[in-house]
Amino acid sequence: MTPHRLLRRAFRRLPAHALNGLSVALGIACVQAVFALLGGHLAAQLALSGAVCASLADVPNTVPRTWHRVTVAALLSVLAAVAVGSLRPYPVALGVGLAGIAFVASMTLAWGARAGAVSFAPVLSMVFAMALPPGAVPLSLAVGWHAAGSVMFIAWALLTAMLLRQRYEALSLEQALRAAATLLRVRASLMLAPAADDTHAAQMKAWVAAEAALADALQVARDFLFAAPDTPASRRDTAMLLRVIDLRDMMLASRLDLELLGTDDHGRWVMQRVAGGLQRIAGALDTAATARRNGTLPLVMPATALDVSALFDGHPLAAGDQRQRLLPALTERLRNLGVDARRIHAALQGDVDAAALSRAQLQRFVAPEGWPLRALKTQFTLASPVLRHALRFALALGGAYFLALALPWASHPHWLVLSVAVVLRGSLEQTLARRNGRVAGTLLGCALVMLLGGLQSAAWLGFIFLMAVGVAHAFVLRRYWLAATAATVMALLQAHAVNPSAGFALAERAADTLLGALLAWGFSYVLPSWERRNLPRAVRRVQAELAAYASHVLQVDSIDPFEQRQSRRRAYEALAAVASALQRSSAEPAAVRVPAAAVAELVDHGQRFMAHLSAVRMMQARRTTAGAAAGVAPVLAQSRAELIALLGPGQPAPVAFNEPPGLDSLPAVAPEADVLPWLERRLRLLLLDARAVQRAATALTEPGIGPEPAVAG
């Protein structure tokens, strides 16, 4: 195989974050080379600081989003460099200024996750400015080179975003397909794990994590594909993504009624067949993902590849066993999942479905961008987690600076400030995770630099620096200990390049890191934003979004596909927000944790509620052929009215029964023969889970659960 083909194959195997890390490292290398030629070694290092700060916001993205984020990150970093350089002669004023920069940087989180990387750019810039030896270069020159490096990296980021756009689109779709396959496999494993076993609990956690990963992957793919130019390739990828989104919806229905199978050998036999069907569909999605990543066509899938019509042939259930009535419904669910998987493969072959939504409608599913001031105005209240974290962050960084001045190794106060800045996050759970990763990564990074200390070649040290830049950038959100290791190597080598006479001071850096981690941990308890503080609002959002989605699905008249999809996404997001709050709260003090049992009940029944609606949608799609159209309309209308009343504010309304119906409630007739009895049963179960959602929501919004936790804060 020729070197060209080897490189091409290696390029195709790079995931998006690794490709992005490589492009950032190359951009930093270009900045360093250009400014070394223009102004010499010191100018290159100063320009490098600006480029590194701007590069924080250069993540896989479209060109307009790259422009918005990288430009703002560069601008904030320049302003921070000016502020620190101006206050450098006045230590007390500099400490106050650091706190002010930290506050402003954290307040950018009012714009949500898209501001995460942007918010750290001014913090890193002030650390770089503090690391510069006093009086080494005039302020105007230092800021000028910093700004010039930022501008050059902005140009690089826009160029690479444009050149890599199609590759990022393909990788975003690949990631969505693989995340869906992973979720199917986790669901299959969960079916086979004993309900009371530790394995089942671990699989439940894996299920929640896989759901969150799929939700994130789907949104990333939406942001790329729905905003892409209208070309045959983008229409093909969009059709595949819409199929994955629908497949996720149908996947929820795969969990329904399985408890009726029981735990005897015969019930486990059926469960194993269902799990096997899910795994076959997951394999088909993985095949499609690999084909999309490599830009190749998969083998044409035979019509029988995902055929589940004979899945339960030879089942061991006795002739009078009522569980036989469930087999046609299970077959139908797997058949619908298989249809979506086959249509994804067909789209890869060029057989693209007609779009149900216009390009303009699809673009409304893209995550918002920009920096509207109204998002900032709403945060200036002590009830806001953003404001509380900004105040906490400012106090922590200011306190770290003044403490560093009092330490015997006060020549490097910026390292203690940086250690606190990278560890202290918005929640205690995130802070604890960062604390451990930061300490381990710093110690490992110091050890690596100690080994590199014997290298006399500036070229080799420069190459290692660039590798560290790429690794730190690529893995900061995936393996933080690895990113912290690379960032430590990067920071130590850069500081040494700017001021070689200061040495590496590895022991001091390790001590600063340990102290900084402890400070960040301690400051997590200053103005804390415990999850239960915002839980009532999140719970009310779940109620409202579930009711809205049910209202769309149970429409008697024609259903607007755009509004239904929008409502479905909002319902998923509302449930995911509550599940995330439960996970974050697990690290909080016991006295202020959210009521885990009630939150778990809300999420579980909310997901079952969504699963019932998925099953109802499948039944509605077949009602005209089942001869049940006349009877379906009044049933849907009545259930819709009951649900709206049930999920409204106040105590839950009574329903026809309080316990889930058993096997005797399964209709004797198969769904394909008469869908109406199955629809009526599904709607009764929907009402039952709606009542459970409302019961849990009422418990979670009672006085004492929300804004006033047992521990002050």
Side-chain angles (χ1 to χ4, degrees), residues 187 191 251-263 267 270-271 274 322-333 608 611-612 615-616 618-619 660-667 671 677-679 681-686 688-689:
R187 182 73 246 174
M191 290 177 181
M251 202 185 311
L252 276 178
S254 68
R255 66 176 292 187
L256 296 175
D257 302 319
L258 294 179
E259 67 279 0
L260 299 179
L261 292 172
T263 57
V270 176
M271 196 82 80
V274 175
Q322 291 181 317
R323 288 177 290 185
Q324 287 194 49
R325 300 180 183 181
L326 192 56
L327 300 185
L330 298 179
T331 301
E332 181 66 15
R333 294 172 197 170
R608 289 182 61 86
H612 290 310
V616 169
M618 286 188 280
M619 294 177 187
L663 284 168
D664 56 351
S665 71
L666 292 173
W678 289 90
L679 178 62
R681 177 180 180 275
R682 185 60 56 204
L683 291 172
R684 289 198 302 271
L685 291 171
L686 177 66
L688 183 64
D689 276 303

Short mmCIF file of all heavy atoms in Angstrom, two decimals, residues 187 191 251-263 267 270-271 274 322-333 608 611-612 615-616 618-619 660-667 671 677-679 681-686 688-689:
data_model
loop_
_atom_site.label_atom_id
_atom_site.label_comp_id
_atom_site.label_asym_id
_atom_site.label_seq_id
_atom_site.Cartn_x
_atom_site.Cartn_y
_atom_site.Cartn_z
N ARG A 187 -29.55 -1.62 25.88
CA ARG A 187 -30.93 -2.03 26.14
C ARG A 187 -31.05 -3.55 26.12
O ARG A 187 -31.72 -4.15 26.97
CB ARG A 187 -31.84 -1.42 25.07
CG ARG A 187 -33.30 -1.71 25.23
CD ARG A 187 -33.89 -0.92 26.37
NE ARG A 187 -34.32 -1.76 27.46
CZ ARG A 187 -34.77 -1.32 28.63
NH1 ARG A 187 -34.81 -0.03 28.86
NH2 ARG A 187 -35.14 -2.14 29.57
N MET A 191 -32.04 -6.12 29.32
CA MET A 191 -33.11 -7.11 29.30
C MET A 191 -32.66 -8.44 29.90
O MET A 191 -33.46 -9.15 30.49
CB MET A 191 -33.57 -7.34 27.85
CG MET A 191 -34.31 -6.19 27.24
SD MET A 191 -34.72 -6.55 25.52
CE MET A 191 -35.56 -5.03 25.06
N MET A 251 -37.13 2.90 19.74
CA MET A 251 -36.35 2.13 20.69
C MET A 251 -36.97 2.16 22.09
O MET A 251 -36.91 1.19 22.84
CB MET A 251 -34.93 2.69 20.74
CG MET A 251 -33.88 1.74 21.25
SD MET A 251 -32.29 2.57 21.39
CE MET A 251 -32.15 3.36 19.79
N LEU A 252 -37.57 3.30 22.43
CA LEU A 252 -38.21 3.40 23.73
C LEU A 252 -39.32 2.37 23.89
O LEU A 252 -39.51 1.80 24.96
CB LEU A 252 -38.80 4.80 23.91
CG LEU A 252 -37.89 5.92 24.41
CD1 LEU A 252 -38.64 7.23 24.46
CD2 LEU A 252 -37.32 5.57 25.78
N ALA A 253 -40.04 2.14 22.80
CA ALA A 253 -41.16 1.20 22.87
C ALA A 253 -40.69 -0.23 23.10
O ALA A 253 -41.49 -1.08 23.52
CB ALA A 253 -41.98 1.27 21.58
N SER A 254 -39.41 -0.51 22.87
CA SER A 254 -38.92 -1.89 23.03
C SER A 254 -38.95 -2.34 24.48
O SER A 254 -38.88 -3.53 24.77
CB SER A 254 -37.51 -2.02 22.47
OG SER A 254 -36.59 -1.28 23.26
N ARG A 255 -39.06 -1.41 25.43
CA ARG A 255 -39.05 -1.77 26.84
C ARG A 255 -40.44 -2.11 27.36
O ARG A 255 -40.57 -2.66 28.46
CB ARG A 255 -38.48 -0.62 27.66
CG ARG A 255 -39.35 0.63 27.67
CD ARG A 255 -38.80 1.72 28.57
NE ARG A 255 -38.88 1.34 29.96
CZ ARG A 255 -38.58 2.19 30.98
NH1 ARG A 255 -38.17 3.41 30.71
NH2 ARG A 255 -38.69 1.78 32.22
N LEU A 256 -41.49 -1.78 26.60
CA LEU A 256 -42.85 -1.90 27.11
C LEU A 256 -43.29 -3.36 27.22
O LEU A 256 -42.97 -4.19 26.35
CB LEU A 256 -43.81 -1.13 26.21
CG LEU A 256 -43.61 0.39 26.15
CD1 LEU A 256 -44.54 1.01 25.14
CD2 LEU A 256 -43.78 1.01 27.52
N ASP A 257 -44.03 -3.66 28.28
CA ASP A 257 -44.70 -4.95 28.50
C ASP A 257 -43.75 -6.10 28.78
O ASP A 257 -44.20 -7.24 28.99
CB ASP A 257 -45.60 -5.33 27.31
CG ASP A 257 -46.64 -4.27 27.02
OD1 ASP A 257 -47.21 -3.73 27.98
OD2 ASP A 257 -46.88 -3.99 25.83
N LEU A 258 -42.44 -5.86 28.78
CA LEU A 258 -41.52 -6.97 28.96
C LEU A 258 -41.63 -7.58 30.36
O LEU A 258 -41.30 -8.75 30.55
CB LEU A 258 -40.08 -6.51 28.71
CG LEU A 258 -39.76 -6.09 27.26
CD1 LEU A 258 -38.32 -5.64 27.16
CD2 LEU A 258 -40.04 -7.23 26.30
N GLU A 259 -42.08 -6.78 31.32
CA GLU A 259 -42.24 -7.32 32.67
C GLU A 259 -43.30 -8.42 32.72
O GLU A 259 -43.30 -9.26 33.64
CB GLU A 259 -42.59 -6.21 33.66
CG GLU A 259 -43.96 -5.57 33.46
CD GLU A 259 -43.98 -4.52 32.36
OE1 GLU A 259 -42.93 -4.27 31.75
OE2 GLU A 259 -45.06 -3.94 32.12
N LEU A 260 -44.20 -8.44 31.72
CA LEU A 260 -45.24 -9.46 31.68
C LEU A 260 -44.69 -10.84 31.29
O LEU A 260 -45.37 -11.85 31.46
CB LEU A 260 -46.34 -9.06 30.70
CG LEU A 260 -47.08 -7.76 31.02
CD1 LEU A 260 -48.12 -7.47 29.94
CD2 LEU A 260 -47.73 -7.82 32.39
N LEU A 261 -43.48 -10.87 30.77
CA LEU A 261 -42.91 -12.15 30.37
C LEU A 261 -42.50 -13.01 31.56
O LEU A 261 -42.37 -14.23 31.44
CB LEU A 261 -41.69 -11.92 29.47
CG LEU A 261 -41.98 -11.33 28.08
CD1 LEU A 261 -40.68 -10.98 27.38
CD2 LEU A 261 -42.80 -12.30 27.25
N GLY A 262 -42.27 -12.36 32.71
CA GLY A 262 -41.87 -13.12 33.88
C GLY A 262 -40.40 -13.47 33.86
O GLY A 262 -39.64 -13.09 32.95
N THR A 263 -39.99 -14.26 34.86
CA THR A 263 -38.57 -14.60 34.99
C THR A 263 -38.31 -16.10 34.88
O THR A 263 -37.21 -16.56 35.19
CB THR A 263 -38.04 -14.10 36.35
OG1 THR A 263 -38.82 -14.68 37.41
CG2 THR A 263 -38.10 -12.58 36.43
N GLY A 267 -40.08 -17.29 29.80
CA GLY A 267 -40.04 -15.84 29.65
C GLY A 267 -38.66 -15.35 29.27
O GLY A 267 -38.51 -14.45 28.43
N VAL A 270 -37.98 -15.82 25.51
CA VAL A 270 -38.53 -14.74 24.69
C VAL A 270 -37.68 -13.48 24.82
O VAL A 270 -37.37 -12.81 23.82
CB VAL A 270 -39.99 -14.45 25.08
CG1 VAL A 270 -40.54 -13.26 24.29
CG2 VAL A 270 -40.87 -15.68 24.86
N MET A 271 -37.27 -13.16 26.06
CA MET A 271 -36.46 -11.97 26.29
C MET A 271 -35.14 -12.06 25.53
O MET A 271 -34.67 -11.07 24.95
CB MET A 271 -36.20 -11.81 27.78
CG MET A 271 -35.71 -10.43 28.18
SD MET A 271 -37.05 -9.25 28.36
CE MET A 271 -37.63 -9.69 29.99
N VAL A 274 -35.74 -11.19 21.92
CA VAL A 274 -35.89 -9.75 21.73
C VAL A 274 -34.52 -9.07 21.79
O VAL A 274 -34.19 -8.22 20.95
CB VAL A 274 -36.83 -9.15 22.79
CG1 VAL A 274 -36.88 -7.63 22.67
CG2 VAL A 274 -38.23 -9.73 22.65
N GLN A 322 -50.94 -17.06 28.19
CA GLN A 322 -51.38 -15.74 27.70
C GLN A 322 -50.22 -14.89 27.17
O GLN A 322 -50.46 -13.92 26.44
CB GLN A 322 -52.09 -14.98 28.83
CG GLN A 322 -53.45 -15.58 29.21
CD GLN A 322 -54.11 -14.78 30.32
OE1 GLN A 322 -53.48 -14.38 31.28
NE2 GLN A 322 -55.40 -14.55 30.17
N ARG A 323 -49.01 -15.25 27.50
CA ARG A 323 -47.87 -14.48 27.00
C ARG A 323 -47.73 -14.58 25.49
O ARG A 323 -47.06 -13.74 24.87
CB ARG A 323 -46.58 -14.95 27.68
CG ARG A 323 -46.48 -14.53 29.14
CD ARG A 323 -45.23 -15.06 29.81
NE ARG A 323 -45.29 -16.50 30.00
CZ ARG A 323 -44.37 -17.21 30.66
NH1 ARG A 323 -43.31 -16.58 31.17
NH2 ARG A 323 -44.48 -18.52 30.81
N GLN A 324 -48.36 -15.59 24.88
CA GLN A 324 -48.33 -15.69 23.42
C GLN A 324 -48.97 -14.47 22.77
O GLN A 324 -48.61 -14.09 21.65
CB GLN A 324 -49.05 -16.96 22.96
CG GLN A 324 -48.30 -18.25 23.23
CD GLN A 324 -48.88 -19.41 22.45
OE1 GLN A 324 -49.11 -19.30 21.25
NE2 GLN A 324 -49.12 -20.52 23.15
N ARG A 325 -49.93 -13.87 23.46
CA ARG A 325 -50.60 -12.69 22.88
C ARG A 325 -49.64 -11.52 22.71
O ARG A 325 -49.90 -10.62 21.89
CB ARG A 325 -51.76 -12.27 23.79
CG ARG A 325 -52.83 -13.32 24.00
CD ARG A 325 -53.91 -12.77 24.92
NE ARG A 325 -54.94 -13.76 25.22
CZ ARG A 325 -56.00 -13.52 25.99
NH1 ARG A 325 -56.16 -12.31 26.53
NH2 ARG A 325 -56.89 -14.46 26.21
N LEU A 326 -48.57 -11.53 23.49
CA LEU A 326 -47.62 -10.42 23.43
C LEU A 326 -46.63 -10.55 22.27
O LEU A 326 -46.07 -9.54 21.83
CB LEU A 326 -46.84 -10.37 24.76
CG LEU A 326 -45.99 -9.13 25.06
CD1 LEU A 326 -46.83 -7.87 25.01
CD2 LEU A 326 -45.33 -9.29 26.44
N LEU A 327 -46.45 -11.74 21.77
CA LEU A 327 -45.43 -11.96 20.74
C LEU A 327 -45.66 -11.14 19.47
O LEU A 327 -44.70 -10.59 18.92
CB LEU A 327 -45.33 -13.45 20.41
CG LEU A 327 -44.96 -14.37 21.59
CD1 LEU A 327 -44.77 -15.80 21.10
CD2 LEU A 327 -43.69 -13.87 22.28
N PRO A 328 -46.90 -11.02 18.95
CA PRO A 328 -47.08 -10.19 17.75
C PRO A 328 -46.69 -8.73 17.97
O PRO A 328 -46.12 -8.09 17.07
CB PRO A 328 -48.57 -10.33 17.44
CG PRO A 328 -48.97 -11.62 18.07
CD PRO A 328 -48.14 -11.73 19.31
N ALA A 329 -46.99 -8.19 19.16
CA ALA A 329 -46.62 -6.80 19.44
C ALA A 329 -45.10 -6.64 19.50
O ALA A 329 -44.54 -5.66 18.97
CB ALA A 329 -47.26 -6.34 20.75
N LEU A 330 -44.41 -7.58 20.13
CA LEU A 330 -42.95 -7.52 20.18
C LEU A 330 -42.35 -7.64 18.79
O LEU A 330 -41.39 -6.94 18.45
CB LEU A 330 -42.42 -8.64 21.08
CG LEU A 330 -42.84 -8.62 22.55
CD1 LEU A 330 -42.25 -9.81 23.30
CD2 LEU A 330 -42.42 -7.32 23.21
N THR A 331 -42.93 -8.51 17.98
CA THR A 331 -42.46 -8.66 16.60
C THR A 331 -42.64 -7.36 15.83
O THR A 331 -41.74 -6.94 15.07
CB THR A 331 -43.23 -9.79 15.90
OG1 THR A 331 -43.03 -11.01 16.62
CG2 THR A 331 -42.75 -9.97 14.47
N GLU A 332 -43.78 -6.69 16.03
CA GLU A 332 -44.05 -5.45 15.31
C GLU A 332 -43.05 -4.36 15.69
O GLU A 332 -42.58 -3.60 14.83
CB GLU A 332 -45.48 -4.98 15.62
CG GLU A 332 -45.90 -3.71 14.92
CD GLU A 332 -46.00 -3.88 13.41
OE1 GLU A 332 -46.01 -5.03 12.92
OE2 GLU A 332 -46.05 -2.85 12.70
N ARG A 333 -42.70 -4.27 16.96
CA ARG A 333 -41.74 -3.24 17.38
C ARG A 333 -40.38 -3.48 16.75
O ARG A 333 -39.74 -2.55 16.25
CB ARG A 333 -41.62 -3.26 18.91
CG ARG A 333 -42.87 -2.83 19.63
CD ARG A 333 -42.72 -3.06 21.12
NE ARG A 333 -44.01 -3.04 21.79
CZ ARG A 333 -44.19 -3.40 23.05
NH1 ARG A 333 -43.15 -3.83 23.77
NH2 ARG A 333 -45.39 -3.36 23.61
N ARG A 608 -41.27 5.93 30.23
CA ARG A 608 -42.33 5.00 29.86
C ARG A 608 -43.47 5.74 29.16
O ARG A 608 -44.07 5.23 28.20
CB ARG A 608 -42.86 4.28 31.10
CG ARG A 608 -41.89 3.27 31.69
CD ARG A 608 -42.49 2.55 32.88
NE ARG A 608 -43.69 1.81 32.50
CZ ARG A 608 -43.69 0.58 32.00
NH1 ARG A 608 -42.54 -0.07 31.82
NH2 ARG A 608 -44.80 -0.02 31.68
N ALA A 611 -42.44 6.21 25.76
CA ALA A 611 -42.48 4.93 25.06
C ALA A 611 -43.91 4.58 24.65
O ALA A 611 -44.16 4.09 23.54
CB ALA A 611 -41.91 3.83 25.95
N HIS A 612 -44.88 4.83 25.53
CA HIS A 612 -46.28 4.58 25.18
C HIS A 612 -46.70 5.43 23.97
O HIS A 612 -47.39 4.95 23.07
CB HIS A 612 -47.19 4.91 26.36
CG HIS A 612 -47.07 3.96 27.51
ND1 HIS A 612 -47.13 2.59 27.37
CD2 HIS A 612 -46.88 4.18 28.84
CE1 HIS A 612 -47.00 2.02 28.55
NE2 HIS A 612 -46.83 2.96 29.46
N ALA A 615 -45.45 3.93 20.84
CA ALA A 615 -46.29 2.80 20.43
C ALA A 615 -47.61 3.29 19.84
O ALA A 615 -48.11 2.72 18.86
CB ALA A 615 -46.54 1.89 21.64
N VAL A 616 -48.18 4.34 20.42
CA VAL A 616 -49.43 4.89 19.89
C VAL A 616 -49.21 5.42 18.47
O VAL A 616 -50.06 5.23 17.59
CB VAL A 616 -49.95 6.02 20.81
CG1 VAL A 616 -51.08 6.80 20.15
CG2 VAL A 616 -50.43 5.43 22.13
N MET A 618 -47.09 4.33 16.28
CA MET A 618 -47.01 3.17 15.38
C MET A 618 -48.41 2.62 15.08
O MET A 618 -48.71 2.24 13.94
CB MET A 618 -46.13 2.09 16.01
CG MET A 618 -44.65 2.39 15.98
SD MET A 618 -43.63 0.98 16.52
CE MET A 618 -43.77 1.11 18.29
N MET A 619 -49.25 2.58 16.09
CA MET A 619 -50.60 2.08 15.87
C MET A 619 -51.42 3.02 14.99
O MET A 619 -52.20 2.58 14.14
CB MET A 619 -51.30 1.89 17.23
CG MET A 619 -50.68 0.81 18.09
SD MET A 619 -51.49 0.72 19.71
CE MET A 619 -50.44 -0.46 20.54
N PRO A 660 -50.72 -1.59 37.31
CA PRO A 660 -50.58 -1.99 35.90
C PRO A 660 -51.36 -3.26 35.62
O PRO A 660 -51.31 -4.21 36.40
CB PRO A 660 -49.07 -2.22 35.75
CG PRO A 660 -48.44 -1.49 36.88
CD PRO A 660 -49.43 -1.53 38.00
N PRO A 661 -52.12 -3.29 34.54
CA PRO A 661 -52.87 -4.50 34.20
C PRO A 661 -51.93 -5.64 33.84
O PRO A 661 -50.83 -5.43 33.34
CB PRO A 661 -53.71 -4.06 33.00
CG PRO A 661 -52.96 -2.93 32.40
CD PRO A 661 -52.30 -2.22 33.55
N GLY A 662 -52.37 -6.86 34.10
CA GLY A 662 -51.54 -8.02 33.87
C GLY A 662 -51.77 -8.65 32.52
O GLY A 662 -52.29 -8.03 31.58
N LEU A 663 -51.41 -9.92 32.43
CA LEU A 663 -51.52 -10.63 31.16
C LEU A 663 -52.94 -10.73 30.66
O LEU A 663 -53.18 -10.77 29.45
CB LEU A 663 -50.93 -12.04 31.33
CG LEU A 663 -49.40 -12.14 31.38
CD1 LEU A 663 -48.99 -13.53 31.85
CD2 LEU A 663 -48.81 -11.84 30.01
N ASP A 664 -53.90 -10.73 31.60
CA ASP A 664 -55.28 -10.88 31.16
C ASP A 664 -55.79 -9.66 30.41
O ASP A 664 -56.84 -9.71 29.78
CB ASP A 664 -56.19 -11.17 32.35
CG ASP A 664 -56.06 -10.10 33.43
OD1 ASP A 664 -55.15 -9.25 33.32
OD2 ASP A 664 -56.86 -10.12 34.39
N SER A 665 -55.03 -8.55 30.46
CA SER A 665 -55.45 -7.36 29.72
C SER A 665 -54.99 -7.38 28.27
O SER A 665 -55.38 -6.51 27.49
CB SER A 665 -54.89 -6.10 30.40
OG SER A 665 -53.49 -6.01 30.22
N LEU A 666 -54.14 -8.34 27.90
CA LEU A 666 -53.66 -8.41 26.52
C LEU A 666 -54.79 -8.85 25.60
O LEU A 666 -55.42 -9.89 25.85
CB LEU A 666 -52.49 -9.39 26.41
CG LEU A 666 -51.19 -8.99 27.12
CD1 LEU A 666 -50.20 -10.14 27.07
CD2 LEU A 666 -50.60 -7.74 26.48
N PRO A 667 -55.10 -8.11 24.55
CA PRO A 667 -56.17 -8.51 23.63
C PRO A 667 -55.86 -9.86 22.99
O PRO A 667 -54.69 -10.19 22.71
CB PRO A 667 -56.17 -7.39 22.58
CG PRO A 667 -55.56 -6.21 23.27
CD PRO A 667 -54.54 -6.79 24.20
N PRO A 671 -52.44 -7.40 16.75
CA PRO A 671 -52.56 -5.99 16.37
C PRO A 671 -52.85 -5.79 14.89
O PRO A 671 -53.60 -4.87 14.53
CB PRO A 671 -51.19 -5.40 16.75
CG PRO A 671 -50.64 -6.33 17.76
CD PRO A 671 -51.16 -7.68 17.41
N PRO A 677 -58.25 -2.61 20.10
CA PRO A 677 -58.08 -3.08 21.48
C PRO A 677 -56.67 -2.82 22.03
O PRO A 677 -56.51 -2.49 23.21
CB PRO A 677 -58.36 -4.58 21.38
CG PRO A 677 -59.14 -4.76 20.14
CD PRO A 677 -58.66 -3.71 19.20
N TRP A 678 -55.68 -2.96 21.18
CA TRP A 678 -54.31 -2.69 21.60
C TRP A 678 -54.10 -1.19 21.86
O TRP A 678 -53.40 -0.81 22.81
CB TRP A 678 -53.33 -3.18 20.54
CG TRP A 678 -53.25 -4.67 20.46
CD1 TRP A 678 -54.00 -5.49 19.68
CD2 TRP A 678 -52.40 -5.52 21.24
NE1 TRP A 678 -53.67 -6.80 19.89
CE2 TRP A 678 -52.67 -6.86 20.85
CE3 TRP A 678 -51.42 -5.30 22.20
CZ2 TRP A 678 -52.02 -7.95 21.40
CZ3 TRP A 678 -50.76 -6.39 22.75
CH2 TRP A 678 -51.06 -7.70 22.35
N LEU A 679 -54.71 -0.37 21.04
CA LEU A 679 -54.60 1.07 21.25
C LEU A 679 -55.27 1.48 22.56
O LEU A 679 -54.73 2.29 23.32
CB LEU A 679 -55.23 1.81 20.06
CG LEU A 679 -55.24 3.34 20.16
CD1 LEU A 679 -53.81 3.89 20.22
CD2 LEU A 679 -55.99 3.95 18.98
N ARG A 681 -55.74 -0.33 25.20
CA ARG A 681 -54.89 -0.77 26.32
C ARG A 681 -53.68 0.14 26.48
O ARG A 681 -53.31 0.51 27.60
CB ARG A 681 -54.43 -2.22 26.08
CG ARG A 681 -53.49 -2.74 27.14
CD ARG A 681 -53.06 -4.18 26.85
NE ARG A 681 -52.14 -4.66 27.88
CZ ARG A 681 -50.84 -4.44 27.89
NH1 ARG A 681 -50.27 -3.77 26.89
NH2 ARG A 681 -50.09 -4.90 28.88
N ARG A 682 -53.06 0.50 25.37
CA ARG A 682 -51.88 1.36 25.45
C ARG A 682 -52.23 2.72 26.04
O ARG A 682 -51.47 3.29 26.84
CB ARG A 682 -51.28 1.53 24.05
CG ARG A 682 -49.97 2.30 24.01
CD ARG A 682 -48.90 1.61 24.82
NE ARG A 682 -48.69 0.24 24.40
CZ ARG A 682 -48.17 -0.70 25.17
NH1 ARG A 682 -47.83 -0.41 26.42
NH2 ARG A 682 -48.01 -1.93 24.72
N LEU A 683 -53.38 3.24 25.70
CA LEU A 683 -53.79 4.54 26.23
C LEU A 683 -54.09 4.46 27.72
O LEU A 683 -53.84 5.41 28.47
CB LEU A 683 -55.01 5.07 25.46
CG LEU A 683 -54.73 5.47 24.01
CD1 LEU A 683 -56.02 5.79 23.28
CD2 LEU A 683 -53.77 6.66 23.95
N ARG A 684 -54.62 3.34 28.17
CA ARG A 684 -54.85 3.18 29.61
C ARG A 684 -53.52 3.16 30.36
O ARG A 684 -53.37 3.76 31.42
CB ARG A 684 -55.63 1.88 29.89
CG ARG A 684 -57.08 1.93 29.44
CD ARG A 684 -57.90 0.83 30.11
NE ARG A 684 -57.38 -0.51 29.85
CZ ARG A 684 -57.72 -1.26 28.82
NH1 ARG A 684 -58.59 -0.78 27.92
NH2 ARG A 684 -57.24 -2.48 28.66
N LEU A 685 -52.53 2.45 29.79
CA LEU A 685 -51.21 2.43 30.40
C LEU A 685 -50.56 3.82 30.36
O LEU A 685 -49.83 4.21 31.29
CB LEU A 685 -50.32 1.41 29.69
CG LEU A 685 -50.71 -0.06 29.89
CD1 LEU A 685 -49.90 -0.95 28.95
CD2 LEU A 685 -50.47 -0.48 31.34
N LEU A 686 -50.80 4.54 29.29
CA LEU A 686 -50.29 5.90 29.18
C LEU A 686 -50.84 6.77 30.31
O LEU A 686 -50.10 7.53 30.95
CB LEU A 686 -50.68 6.49 27.81
CG LEU A 686 -50.30 7.94 27.54
CD1 LEU A 686 -48.79 8.10 27.49
CD2 LEU A 686 -50.93 8.42 26.23
N LEU A 688 -51.90 5.71 33.18
CA LEU A 688 -51.33 5.24 34.44
C LEU A 688 -49.95 5.82 34.67
O LEU A 688 -49.63 6.28 35.78
CB LEU A 688 -51.27 3.71 34.42
CG LEU A 688 -50.76 3.05 35.70
CD1 LEU A 688 -51.70 3.32 36.85
CD2 LEU A 688 -50.59 1.55 35.50
N ASP A 689 -49.11 5.84 33.64
CA ASP A 689 -47.78 6.42 33.81
C ASP A 689 -47.85 7.93 33.95
O ASP A 689 -47.01 8.54 34.63
CB ASP A 689 -46.88 6.02 32.64
CG ASP A 689 -46.25 4.65 32.84
OD1 ASP A 689 -45.57 4.46 33.86
OD2 ASP A 689 -46.46 3.76 32.00
#
